[in-house]
Short mmCIF file of all heavy atoms in Angstrom, two decimals:
data_model
loop_
_atom_site.label_atom_id
_atom_site.label_comp_id
_atom_site.label_asym_id
_atom_site.label_seq_id
_atom_site.Cartn_x
_atom_site.Cartn_y
_atom_site.Cartn_z
N MET A 1 0.84 -1.17 0.00
CA MET A 1 0.00 0.00 0.00
C MET A 1 0.89 1.24 0.00
O MET A 1 1.85 1.33 0.75
CB MET A 1 -0.90 -0.02 1.23
CG MET A 1 -1.80 1.15 1.37
SD MET A 1 -2.76 1.00 2.89
CE MET A 1 -4.29 1.65 2.35
N GLU A 2 0.54 2.20 -0.86
CA GLU A 2 1.36 3.41 -0.89
C GLU A 2 1.07 4.28 0.33
O GLU A 2 0.01 4.19 0.93
CB GLU A 2 1.14 4.18 -2.19
CG GLU A 2 -0.23 4.66 -2.47
CD GLU A 2 -0.36 5.34 -3.84
OE1 GLU A 2 0.58 5.35 -4.65
OE2 GLU A 2 -1.43 5.87 -4.09
N THR A 3 2.04 5.09 0.66
CA THR A 3 1.87 5.98 1.81
C THR A 3 0.83 7.04 1.48
O THR A 3 0.51 7.28 0.31
CB THR A 3 3.19 6.68 2.18
OG1 THR A 3 3.54 7.58 1.10
CG2 THR A 3 4.31 5.67 2.44
N LEU A 4 0.34 7.71 2.50
CA LEU A 4 -0.62 8.78 2.29
C LEU A 4 0.02 9.89 1.45
O LEU A 4 -0.63 10.44 0.56
CB LEU A 4 -1.11 9.32 3.64
CG LEU A 4 -2.17 10.41 3.58
CD1 LEU A 4 -3.40 9.95 2.81
CD2 LEU A 4 -2.54 10.84 4.98
N ALA A 5 1.26 10.19 1.72
CA ALA A 5 1.97 11.22 0.94
C ALA A 5 2.01 10.84 -0.54
O ALA A 5 1.74 11.67 -1.41
CB ALA A 5 3.38 11.41 1.48
N GLU A 6 2.32 9.59 -0.83
CA GLU A 6 2.36 9.13 -2.22
C GLU A 6 0.98 9.18 -2.86
O GLU A 6 0.85 9.55 -4.03
CB GLU A 6 2.91 7.70 -2.27
CG GLU A 6 4.36 7.59 -1.90
CD GLU A 6 4.81 6.15 -1.67
OE1 GLU A 6 3.97 5.28 -1.37
OE2 GLU A 6 6.03 5.92 -1.78
N THR A 7 -0.04 8.81 -2.09
CA THR A 7 -1.41 8.84 -2.60
C THR A 7 -1.82 10.25 -2.99
O THR A 7 -2.36 10.48 -4.08
CB THR A 7 -2.39 8.29 -1.54
OG1 THR A 7 -2.05 6.93 -1.27
CG2 THR A 7 -3.83 8.37 -2.01
N ILE A 8 -1.53 11.21 -2.12
CA ILE A 8 -1.91 12.60 -2.40
C ILE A 8 -1.12 13.15 -3.58
O ILE A 8 -1.69 13.78 -4.47
CB ILE A 8 -1.71 13.48 -1.15
CG1 ILE A 8 -2.72 13.08 -0.08
CG2 ILE A 8 -1.85 14.96 -1.51
CD1 ILE A 8 -2.53 13.79 1.24
N LYS A 9 0.16 12.90 -3.61
CA LYS A 9 0.98 13.40 -4.73
C LYS A 9 0.51 12.82 -6.05
O LYS A 9 0.41 13.53 -7.06
CB LYS A 9 2.45 13.07 -4.49
CG LYS A 9 3.08 13.91 -3.40
CD LYS A 9 4.51 13.49 -3.16
CE LYS A 9 5.12 14.21 -1.99
NZ LYS A 9 6.49 13.75 -1.71
N ALA A 10 0.20 11.52 -6.07
CA ALA A 10 -0.28 10.87 -7.30
C ALA A 10 -1.62 11.46 -7.72
O ALA A 10 -1.85 11.72 -8.91
CB ALA A 10 -0.38 9.37 -7.08
N TRP A 11 -2.51 11.66 -6.76
CA TRP A 11 -3.82 12.24 -7.07
C TRP A 11 -3.67 13.64 -7.64
O TRP A 11 -4.28 14.00 -8.65
CB TRP A 11 -4.70 12.25 -5.82
CG TRP A 11 -5.91 13.10 -5.96
CD1 TRP A 11 -6.95 12.93 -6.85
CD2 TRP A 11 -6.22 14.29 -5.23
NE1 TRP A 11 -7.88 13.92 -6.70
CE2 TRP A 11 -7.46 14.78 -5.71
CE3 TRP A 11 -5.59 14.98 -4.21
CZ2 TRP A 11 -8.05 15.92 -5.20
CZ3 TRP A 11 -6.19 16.11 -3.70
CH2 TRP A 11 -7.40 16.57 -4.20
N ARG A 12 -2.83 14.46 -7.00
CA ARG A 12 -2.62 15.83 -7.49
C ARG A 12 -2.04 15.82 -8.90
O ARG A 12 -2.43 16.63 -9.74
CB ARG A 12 -1.70 16.61 -6.55
CG ARG A 12 -2.37 17.03 -5.30
CD ARG A 12 -1.77 18.25 -4.62
NE ARG A 12 -0.33 18.29 -4.44
CZ ARG A 12 0.47 19.19 -5.03
NH1 ARG A 12 -0.01 20.08 -5.85
NH2 ARG A 12 1.76 19.18 -4.77
N HIS A 13 -1.14 14.89 -9.16
CA HIS A 13 -0.53 14.79 -10.49
C HIS A 13 -1.59 14.39 -11.53
O HIS A 13 -1.69 15.01 -12.59
CB HIS A 13 0.61 13.76 -10.47
CG HIS A 13 1.26 13.58 -11.80
ND1 HIS A 13 2.10 14.52 -12.35
CD2 HIS A 13 1.16 12.58 -12.70
CE1 HIS A 13 2.50 14.09 -13.53
NE2 HIS A 13 1.95 12.91 -13.76
N ARG A 14 -2.40 13.37 -11.20
CA ARG A 14 -3.46 12.94 -12.14
C ARG A 14 -4.49 14.04 -12.38
O ARG A 14 -4.96 14.23 -13.50
CB ARG A 14 -4.18 11.69 -11.61
CG ARG A 14 -3.38 10.42 -11.68
CD ARG A 14 -4.22 9.20 -11.35
NE ARG A 14 -4.81 9.25 -10.02
CZ ARG A 14 -4.22 8.83 -8.91
NH1 ARG A 14 -3.00 8.32 -8.97
NH2 ARG A 14 -4.83 8.90 -7.74
N ALA A 15 -4.83 14.76 -11.31
CA ALA A 15 -5.84 15.82 -11.42
C ALA A 15 -5.25 17.12 -11.97
O ALA A 15 -5.99 18.04 -12.32
CB ALA A 15 -6.47 16.07 -10.05
N ASP A 16 -3.91 17.19 -12.03
CA ASP A 16 -3.20 18.38 -12.51
C ASP A 16 -3.64 19.63 -11.74
O ASP A 16 -4.05 20.63 -12.33
CB ASP A 16 -3.41 18.56 -14.02
CG ASP A 16 -2.46 19.59 -14.61
OD1 ASP A 16 -1.35 19.77 -14.06
OD2 ASP A 16 -2.84 20.24 -15.60
N ILE A 17 -3.56 19.53 -10.40
CA ILE A 17 -3.95 20.65 -9.55
C ILE A 17 -2.82 21.00 -8.58
O ILE A 17 -1.97 20.17 -8.26
CB ILE A 17 -5.25 20.35 -8.75
CG1 ILE A 17 -5.10 19.12 -7.87
CG2 ILE A 17 -6.43 20.24 -9.68
CD1 ILE A 17 -6.30 18.84 -6.98
N SER A 18 -2.84 22.24 -8.14
CA SER A 18 -1.82 22.73 -7.20
C SER A 18 -2.14 22.26 -5.79
O SER A 18 -3.24 21.76 -5.51
CB SER A 18 -1.80 24.26 -7.23
OG SER A 18 -3.01 24.76 -6.68
N ALA A 19 -1.19 22.47 -4.90
CA ALA A 19 -1.42 22.14 -3.49
C ALA A 19 -2.56 22.97 -2.93
O ALA A 19 -3.39 22.48 -2.16
CB ALA A 19 -0.14 22.37 -2.68
N ARG A 20 -2.64 24.22 -3.33
CA ARG A 20 -3.72 25.10 -2.86
C ARG A 20 -5.08 24.57 -3.31
O ARG A 20 -6.01 24.48 -2.51
CB ARG A 20 -3.53 26.52 -3.39
CG ARG A 20 -4.58 27.51 -2.87
CD ARG A 20 -4.50 28.86 -3.57
NE ARG A 20 -4.59 28.80 -5.02
CZ ARG A 20 -5.73 28.62 -5.69
NH1 ARG A 20 -6.86 28.48 -5.07
NH2 ARG A 20 -5.72 28.58 -7.01
N GLU A 21 -5.19 24.19 -4.58
CA GLU A 21 -6.46 23.66 -5.10
C GLU A 21 -6.82 22.34 -4.41
O GLU A 21 -7.98 22.11 -4.07
CB GLU A 21 -6.37 23.44 -6.61
CG GLU A 21 -6.26 24.71 -7.40
CD GLU A 21 -5.90 24.46 -8.86
OE1 GLU A 21 -4.95 23.69 -9.12
OE2 GLU A 21 -6.58 25.03 -9.72
N ALA A 22 -5.82 21.49 -4.22
CA ALA A 22 -6.07 20.21 -3.57
C ALA A 22 -6.53 20.42 -2.13
O ALA A 22 -7.48 19.77 -1.67
CB ALA A 22 -4.82 19.34 -3.60
N ALA A 23 -5.89 21.32 -1.43
CA ALA A 23 -6.26 21.60 -0.05
C ALA A 23 -7.70 22.11 0.03
O ALA A 23 -8.46 21.70 0.91
CB ALA A 23 -5.30 22.62 0.56
N GLU A 24 -8.07 22.98 -0.89
CA GLU A 24 -9.45 23.49 -0.92
C GLU A 24 -10.44 22.36 -1.13
O GLU A 24 -11.47 22.29 -0.44
CB GLU A 24 -9.61 24.54 -2.02
CG GLU A 24 -8.97 25.87 -1.70
CD GLU A 24 -9.08 26.86 -2.84
OE1 GLU A 24 -9.82 26.60 -3.82
OE2 GLU A 24 -8.41 27.91 -2.76
N LYS A 25 -10.15 21.48 -2.07
CA LYS A 25 -11.04 20.35 -2.35
C LYS A 25 -11.17 19.42 -1.14
O LYS A 25 -12.21 18.83 -0.92
CB LYS A 25 -10.55 19.56 -3.56
CG LYS A 25 -10.76 20.26 -4.88
CD LYS A 25 -10.26 19.40 -6.02
CE LYS A 25 -10.55 20.01 -7.37
NZ LYS A 25 -11.88 19.71 -7.86
N LEU A 26 -10.09 19.29 -0.37
CA LEU A 26 -10.08 18.39 0.78
C LEU A 26 -10.50 19.08 2.07
O LEU A 26 -10.60 18.42 3.11
CB LEU A 26 -8.68 17.78 0.94
CG LEU A 26 -8.26 16.85 -0.20
CD1 LEU A 26 -6.78 16.52 -0.09
CD2 LEU A 26 -9.12 15.59 -0.20
N GLY A 27 -10.73 20.38 2.02
CA GLY A 27 -11.17 21.10 3.20
C GLY A 27 -10.12 21.26 4.28
O GLY A 27 -10.40 21.14 5.47
N MET A 28 -8.89 21.52 3.85
CA MET A 28 -7.80 21.71 4.81
C MET A 28 -6.92 22.84 4.32
O MET A 28 -7.06 23.29 3.19
CB MET A 28 -6.99 20.42 4.98
CG MET A 28 -6.29 19.96 3.73
SD MET A 28 -5.26 18.48 3.93
CE MET A 28 -6.36 17.31 4.62
N SER A 29 -6.02 23.28 5.17
CA SER A 29 -5.10 24.33 4.77
C SER A 29 -4.02 23.75 3.85
O SER A 29 -3.71 22.56 3.89
CB SER A 29 -4.45 24.98 5.99
OG SER A 29 -3.52 24.09 6.58
N ARG A 30 -3.46 24.64 3.04
CA ARG A 30 -2.36 24.22 2.16
C ARG A 30 -1.19 23.73 3.00
O ARG A 30 -0.54 22.75 2.66
CB ARG A 30 -1.94 25.40 1.27
CG ARG A 30 -0.80 25.06 0.32
CD ARG A 30 -0.34 26.26 -0.46
NE ARG A 30 0.01 27.40 0.36
CZ ARG A 30 1.18 27.54 1.00
NH1 ARG A 30 2.10 26.61 0.91
NH2 ARG A 30 1.42 28.61 1.73
N ARG A 31 -0.95 24.38 4.12
CA ARG A 31 0.16 23.99 5.00
C ARG A 31 -0.03 22.56 5.51
O ARG A 31 0.90 21.76 5.52
CB ARG A 31 0.28 24.95 6.17
CG ARG A 31 1.43 24.62 7.10
CD ARG A 31 1.52 25.60 8.22
NE ARG A 31 1.78 26.92 7.68
CZ ARG A 31 2.81 27.68 8.03
NH1 ARG A 31 3.64 27.28 8.95
NH2 ARG A 31 3.01 28.85 7.49
N THR A 32 -1.26 22.23 5.92
CA THR A 32 -1.53 20.87 6.41
C THR A 32 -1.29 19.86 5.29
O THR A 32 -0.65 18.83 5.50
CB THR A 32 -2.98 20.75 6.92
OG1 THR A 32 -3.14 21.63 8.04
CG2 THR A 32 -3.31 19.33 7.34
N LEU A 33 -1.78 20.18 4.10
CA LEU A 33 -1.58 19.27 2.97
C LEU A 33 -0.08 19.09 2.68
O LEU A 33 0.38 17.98 2.47
CB LEU A 33 -2.29 19.81 1.73
CG LEU A 33 -2.15 18.94 0.50
CD1 LEU A 33 -2.93 17.64 0.67
CD2 LEU A 33 -2.60 19.67 -0.74
N GLU A 34 0.66 20.16 2.71
CA GLU A 34 2.10 20.07 2.45
C GLU A 34 2.80 19.24 3.53
O GLU A 34 3.71 18.47 3.22
CB GLU A 34 2.71 21.46 2.33
CG GLU A 34 2.28 22.16 1.06
CD GLU A 34 2.71 23.60 0.97
OE1 GLU A 34 3.14 24.18 2.00
OE2 GLU A 34 2.60 24.17 -0.13
N HIS A 35 2.37 19.39 4.78
CA HIS A 35 2.96 18.57 5.85
C HIS A 35 2.69 17.09 5.60
O HIS A 35 3.58 16.25 5.77
CB HIS A 35 2.39 18.98 7.21
CG HIS A 35 2.93 20.28 7.71
ND1 HIS A 35 2.47 20.87 8.85
CD2 HIS A 35 3.89 21.10 7.23
CE1 HIS A 35 3.12 22.00 9.06
NE2 HIS A 35 3.99 22.17 8.07
N ILE A 36 1.48 16.77 5.19
CA ILE A 36 1.14 15.36 4.90
C ILE A 36 2.00 14.86 3.74
O ILE A 36 2.54 13.76 3.79
CB ILE A 36 -0.36 15.22 4.58
CG1 ILE A 36 -1.20 15.56 5.81
CG2 ILE A 36 -0.67 13.80 4.09
CD1 ILE A 36 -2.68 15.75 5.50
N GLU A 37 2.15 15.69 2.70
CA GLU A 37 2.98 15.29 1.55
C GLU A 37 4.45 15.11 1.93
O GLU A 37 5.17 14.38 1.26
CB GLU A 37 2.85 16.31 0.42
CG GLU A 37 1.53 16.21 -0.31
CD GLU A 37 1.47 17.09 -1.54
OE1 GLU A 37 2.32 18.01 -1.68
OE2 GLU A 37 0.58 16.85 -2.36
N GLN A 38 4.88 15.75 3.00
CA GLN A 38 6.25 15.59 3.48
C GLN A 38 6.40 14.35 4.36
O GLN A 38 7.48 14.04 4.84
CB GLN A 38 6.67 16.83 4.27
CG GLN A 38 6.81 18.06 3.41
CD GLN A 38 6.95 19.33 4.23
OE1 GLN A 38 6.98 19.30 5.45
NE2 GLN A 38 7.03 20.46 3.55
N GLY A 39 5.28 13.65 4.59
CA GLY A 39 5.34 12.42 5.36
C GLY A 39 5.00 12.55 6.83
O GLY A 39 5.14 11.59 7.59
N ARG A 40 4.56 13.72 7.24
CA ARG A 40 4.17 13.88 8.64
C ARG A 40 2.88 13.11 8.90
O ARG A 40 2.02 13.01 8.02
CB ARG A 40 3.97 15.35 8.98
CG ARG A 40 5.27 16.12 8.92
CD ARG A 40 5.11 17.51 9.40
NE ARG A 40 6.36 18.25 9.23
CZ ARG A 40 6.49 19.54 9.46
NH1 ARG A 40 5.45 20.24 9.90
NH2 ARG A 40 7.64 20.13 9.27
N PRO A 41 2.70 12.58 10.08
CA PRO A 41 1.50 11.79 10.38
C PRO A 41 0.23 12.63 10.31
O PRO A 41 0.25 13.83 10.60
CB PRO A 41 1.72 11.29 11.80
CG PRO A 41 3.07 11.71 12.21
CD PRO A 41 3.63 12.65 11.19
N TYR A 42 -0.86 11.99 9.93
CA TYR A 42 -2.16 12.64 9.87
C TYR A 42 -3.15 11.72 10.54
O TYR A 42 -3.29 10.56 10.14
CB TYR A 42 -2.55 12.93 8.43
CG TYR A 42 -3.82 13.73 8.30
CD1 TYR A 42 -3.86 15.05 8.69
CD2 TYR A 42 -4.98 13.16 7.79
CE1 TYR A 42 -5.02 15.81 8.57
CE2 TYR A 42 -6.14 13.90 7.68
CZ TYR A 42 -6.15 15.23 8.06
OH TYR A 42 -7.31 15.95 7.96
N LYS A 43 -3.85 12.22 11.55
CA LYS A 43 -4.69 11.36 12.37
C LYS A 43 -5.91 10.80 11.66
O LYS A 43 -6.44 9.77 12.08
CB LYS A 43 -5.10 12.07 13.65
CG LYS A 43 -5.95 13.30 13.42
CD LYS A 43 -6.28 13.98 14.72
CE LYS A 43 -7.03 15.28 14.44
NZ LYS A 43 -7.29 16.02 15.64
N ASN A 44 -6.38 11.44 10.58
CA ASN A 44 -7.57 10.98 9.87
C ASN A 44 -7.21 10.43 8.50
O ASN A 44 -7.87 10.72 7.51
CB ASN A 44 -8.58 12.13 9.74
CG ASN A 44 -9.09 12.59 11.08
OD1 ASN A 44 -9.43 11.77 11.92
ND2 ASN A 44 -9.13 13.88 11.29
N GLU A 45 -6.20 9.60 8.44
CA GLU A 45 -5.70 9.09 7.17
C GLU A 45 -6.77 8.36 6.38
O GLU A 45 -6.92 8.58 5.17
CB GLU A 45 -4.50 8.17 7.41
CG GLU A 45 -3.92 7.64 6.13
CD GLU A 45 -2.63 6.86 6.33
OE1 GLU A 45 -1.93 7.07 7.34
OE2 GLU A 45 -2.34 6.03 5.47
N THR A 46 -7.54 7.51 7.02
CA THR A 46 -8.56 6.74 6.31
C THR A 46 -9.60 7.66 5.69
O THR A 46 -9.98 7.48 4.53
CB THR A 46 -9.24 5.73 7.27
OG1 THR A 46 -8.25 4.87 7.80
CG2 THR A 46 -10.29 4.92 6.55
N ILE A 47 -10.03 8.66 6.43
CA ILE A 47 -11.03 9.59 5.91
C ILE A 47 -10.45 10.37 4.73
O ILE A 47 -11.13 10.58 3.72
CB ILE A 47 -11.50 10.56 7.03
CG1 ILE A 47 -12.29 9.77 8.07
CG2 ILE A 47 -12.31 11.71 6.46
CD1 ILE A 47 -12.61 10.53 9.33
N LEU A 48 -9.21 10.77 4.81
CA LEU A 48 -8.58 11.51 3.73
C LEU A 48 -8.45 10.64 2.48
O LEU A 48 -8.73 11.10 1.37
CB LEU A 48 -7.21 12.03 4.17
CG LEU A 48 -6.52 12.99 3.23
CD1 LEU A 48 -7.40 14.18 2.88
CD2 LEU A 48 -5.22 13.48 3.85
N ARG A 49 -8.08 9.39 2.64
CA ARG A 49 -8.00 8.48 1.49
C ARG A 49 -9.37 8.32 0.83
O ARG A 49 -9.48 8.32 -0.40
CB ARG A 49 -7.46 7.11 1.91
CG ARG A 49 -5.98 7.09 2.19
CD ARG A 49 -5.52 5.67 2.57
NE ARG A 49 -4.14 5.66 2.99
CZ ARG A 49 -3.11 5.58 2.17
NH1 ARG A 49 -3.30 5.53 0.87
NH2 ARG A 49 -1.88 5.55 2.65
N LEU A 50 -10.42 8.19 1.64
CA LEU A 50 -11.77 8.05 1.09
C LEU A 50 -12.20 9.33 0.37
O LEU A 50 -12.84 9.26 -0.69
CB LEU A 50 -12.77 7.72 2.21
CG LEU A 50 -12.63 6.33 2.82
CD1 LEU A 50 -13.53 6.20 4.05
CD2 LEU A 50 -12.97 5.25 1.80
N ALA A 51 -11.84 10.47 0.91
CA ALA A 51 -12.18 11.74 0.27
C ALA A 51 -11.50 11.84 -1.10
O ALA A 51 -12.13 12.27 -2.08
CB ALA A 51 -11.76 12.91 1.15
N ILE A 52 -10.25 11.43 -1.19
CA ILE A 52 -9.54 11.47 -2.46
C ILE A 52 -10.20 10.54 -3.47
O ILE A 52 -10.40 10.90 -4.63
CB ILE A 52 -8.04 11.14 -2.27
CG1 ILE A 52 -7.36 12.27 -1.51
CG2 ILE A 52 -7.35 10.89 -3.61
CD1 ILE A 52 -5.97 11.95 -1.03
N GLU A 53 -10.56 9.33 -3.03
CA GLU A 53 -11.24 8.39 -3.92
C GLU A 53 -12.53 8.99 -4.45
O GLU A 53 -12.84 8.88 -5.64
CB GLU A 53 -11.53 7.08 -3.19
CG GLU A 53 -10.32 6.23 -2.94
CD GLU A 53 -10.65 4.98 -2.13
OE1 GLU A 53 -11.84 4.62 -2.03
OE2 GLU A 53 -9.71 4.38 -1.60
N ARG A 54 -13.30 9.63 -3.58
CA ARG A 54 -14.57 10.23 -3.99
C ARG A 54 -14.35 11.39 -4.95
O ARG A 54 -15.06 11.54 -5.94
CB ARG A 54 -15.35 10.70 -2.76
CG ARG A 54 -16.66 11.31 -3.09
CD ARG A 54 -17.60 10.27 -3.71
NE ARG A 54 -18.80 10.94 -4.14
CZ ARG A 54 -19.37 10.77 -5.31
NH1 ARG A 54 -18.87 9.92 -6.18
NH2 ARG A 54 -20.45 11.42 -5.63
N LEU A 55 -13.34 12.22 -4.68
CA LEU A 55 -13.04 13.33 -5.58
C LEU A 55 -12.60 12.83 -6.95
O LEU A 55 -12.99 13.39 -7.96
CB LEU A 55 -11.95 14.23 -4.98
CG LEU A 55 -12.42 15.13 -3.83
CD1 LEU A 55 -11.21 15.73 -3.13
CD2 LEU A 55 -13.34 16.21 -4.33
N GLU A 56 -11.83 11.76 -6.99
CA GLU A 56 -11.41 11.19 -8.27
C GLU A 56 -12.62 10.69 -9.03
O GLU A 56 -12.74 10.90 -10.24
CB GLU A 56 -10.40 10.07 -8.07
CG GLU A 56 -9.04 10.56 -7.72
CD GLU A 56 -8.00 9.47 -7.68
OE1 GLU A 56 -8.27 8.40 -7.11
OE2 GLU A 56 -6.91 9.70 -8.21
N ALA A 57 -13.54 10.03 -8.35
CA ALA A 57 -14.74 9.50 -9.01
C ALA A 57 -15.60 10.65 -9.53
O ALA A 57 -16.11 10.60 -10.66
CB ALA A 57 -15.54 8.64 -8.02
N THR A 58 -15.74 11.70 -8.74
CA THR A 58 -16.55 12.86 -9.14
C THR A 58 -15.90 13.59 -10.31
O THR A 58 -16.58 13.97 -11.26
CB THR A 58 -16.73 13.84 -7.96
OG1 THR A 58 -17.32 13.12 -6.89
CG2 THR A 58 -17.58 15.01 -8.32
N ASP A 59 -14.59 13.78 -10.25
CA ASP A 59 -13.88 14.45 -11.34
C ASP A 59 -14.01 13.66 -12.63
O ASP A 59 -14.14 14.23 -13.70
CB ASP A 59 -12.41 14.66 -11.00
CG ASP A 59 -12.19 15.75 -9.97
OD1 ASP A 59 -13.12 16.53 -9.70
OD2 ASP A 59 -11.08 15.81 -9.40
N GLY A 60 -13.99 12.35 -12.55
CA GLY A 60 -14.14 11.49 -13.72
C GLY A 60 -15.51 11.62 -14.35
O GLY A 60 -15.67 11.50 -15.56
N GLU A 61 -16.52 11.85 -13.54
CA GLU A 61 -17.89 11.99 -14.05
C GLU A 61 -18.08 13.30 -14.79
O GLU A 61 -18.90 13.39 -15.70
CB GLU A 61 -18.89 11.91 -12.89
CG GLU A 61 -18.96 10.56 -12.24
CD GLU A 61 -19.78 10.56 -10.96
OE1 GLU A 61 -20.34 11.63 -10.60
OE2 GLU A 61 -19.86 9.51 -10.32
N THR A 62 -17.34 14.33 -14.43
CA THR A 62 -17.54 15.64 -15.02
C THR A 62 -16.65 15.89 -16.23
O THR A 62 -16.79 16.90 -16.90
CB THR A 62 -17.27 16.76 -13.98
OG1 THR A 62 -15.94 16.64 -13.49
CG2 THR A 62 -18.27 16.69 -12.84
N LYS A 63 -15.74 15.00 -16.52
CA LYS A 63 -14.84 15.20 -17.68
C LYS A 63 -15.43 14.58 -18.91
O LYS A 63 -16.23 13.76 -18.95
CB LYS A 63 -13.47 14.61 -17.38
CG LYS A 63 -12.73 15.45 -16.38
CD LYS A 63 -11.33 14.94 -16.19
CE LYS A 63 -10.63 15.82 -15.18
NZ LYS A 63 -9.31 15.39 -14.91
#
């Protein structure tokens, strides 16, 4: 299983969005998102992974 940091970076790359845009979509600050991408622990990892999955599914429907 890839790390949360890898998951977020891959999602941002596929979605072609900035850290600021990704943070807005996920309802967090850009700083928090950057900390997670640097590998710092995040207490709601499962919820964040589910949110990314849902955003990917929604983005796919609108393209």
Side-chain angles (χ1 to χ4, degrees):
M1 179 181 217
E2 60 184 7
T3 67
L4 183 57
E6 292 167 337
T7 298
I8 291 174
K9 288 177 186 177
W11 166 63
R12 285 205 313 115
H13 179 74
R14 288 189 300 273
D16 192 28
I17 59 175
S18 68
R20 183 189 55 78
E21 292 169 312
E24 286 177 11
K25 288 181 176 275
L26 294 169
M28 63 177 55
S29 71
R30 180 185 53 80
R31 181 179 298 236
T32 297
L33 180 70
E34 290 172 347
H35 286 174
I36 295 167
E37 286 188 344
Q38 293 168 1
R40 294 187 184 174
Y42 186 69
K43 63 182 175 184
N44 296 315
E45 181 173 336
T46 301
I47 292 170
L48 189 54
R49 285 182 187 275
L50 291 171
I52 291 169
E53 287 176 16
R54 180 65 186 133
L55 285 168
E56 284 187 316
T58 303
D59 287 346
E61 293 171 2
T62 59
K63 288 186 179 178

